[in-house]
Amino acid sequence: MEVFIPSFRYEESELERGYTVFKIEVLVSGRKHFVEKRYSEFHALHKKLKKFIRTPEIPSKHVRNWVPKVLEQRRQGLELYLQTVILENEELPKIFLDFLNVRHVPTLPKAESCGSFDETESEESSKLSHQPVLLFLRDPYVLPKANVCSTEKI
């Protein structure tokens, strides 16, 4: 899994002060999706993660001025935070995956983790393959029973 924060934008609201939204790019098993989160959501995640895993430092909650240079530093810090959580944890907590809207992270089968295959084979075999499922009401290789009486008379 790879995570990047390529951009952010300022959101104005009539109900509250304006806020910054960070666009998170999530790449899992060759598929990419985007999630938008506010800093307050990152901070809430950080507080939850600290209970389960050792977490890296998160950028400061308080920012004095909302100038693009300061926001860019926060963007970089949040991106590094997410990437470090992924790098330092073999198994990612469900709250982290939920934060990124990731339902399933494929894991390597035990045989591959032992190094029994070379890298190219393990990469290809770890990719999900989608095959159509066929349903047969009866076994297609067994012929239906013929009426024995009628064949014997012929």
Side-chain angles (χ1 to χ4, degrees):
M1 176 165 48
E2 294 180 56
V3 177
F4 305 97
I5 301 179
S7 62
F8 58 87
R9 63 182 164 73
Y10 187 75
E11 188 75 30
E12 293 192 31
S13 171
E14 293 178 8
L15 302 174
E16 59 183 321
R17 280 191 317 164
Y19 54 88
T20 304
V21 177
F22 295 91
K23 185 175 185 177
I24 306 167
E25 179 182 318
V26 183
L27 185 64
V28 182
S29 302
R31 293 186 177 183
K32 183 192 306 186
H33 71 271
F34 294 92
V35 182
E36 292 191 333
K37 299 287 182 181
R38 295 173 60 169
Y39 178 84
S40 59
E41 294 173 282
F42 278 94
H43 194 261
L45 171 72
H46 179 69
K47 286 169 63 175
K48 290 176 189 174
L49 283 178
K50 285 195 320 187
K51 296 175 184 175
F52 302 105
I53 61 173
R54 218 175 85 219
T55 58
E57 287 296 315
I58 190 163
S60 174
K61 185 175 184 175
H62 303 287
V63 177
R64 289 189 192 153
N65 49 354
W66 295 94
V67 294
K69 184 178 179 181
V70 174
L71 290 173
E72 174 58 22
Q73 288 174 341
R74 180 176 264 189
R75 182 203 65 77
Q76 290 173 1
L78 292 173
E79 182 178 82
L80 181 62
Y81 176 83
L82 294 175
Q83 291 172 348
T84 305
V85 168
I86 292 168
L87 268 173
E88 292 184 354
N89 295 282
E90 272 186 49
E91 227 175 283
L92 296 168
K94 184 178 182 330
I95 52 174
F96 185 78
L97 297 174
D98 290 346
F99 178 82
L100 297 173
N101 288 352
V102 173
R103 289 189 184 89
H104 174 71
V105 177
T107 54
L108 295 175
K110 288 184 180 179
E112 290 181 18
S113 64
C114 296
S116 60
F117 298 113
D118 69 346
E119 285 182 27
T120 56
E121 285 180 335
S122 65
E123 281 178 22
E124 287 186 22
S125 61
S126 69
K127 292 180 183 172
L128 296 176
S129 62
H130 299 283
Q131 300 291 329
V133 176
L134 301 176
L135 174 68
F136 296 102
L137 297 176
R138 44 184 104 114
D139 191 336
Y141 298 104
V142 176
L143 294 173
K145 288 185 179 178
N147 190 344
V148 179
C149 295
S150 64
T151 57
E152 288 178 358
K153 291 181 183 176
I154 295 179

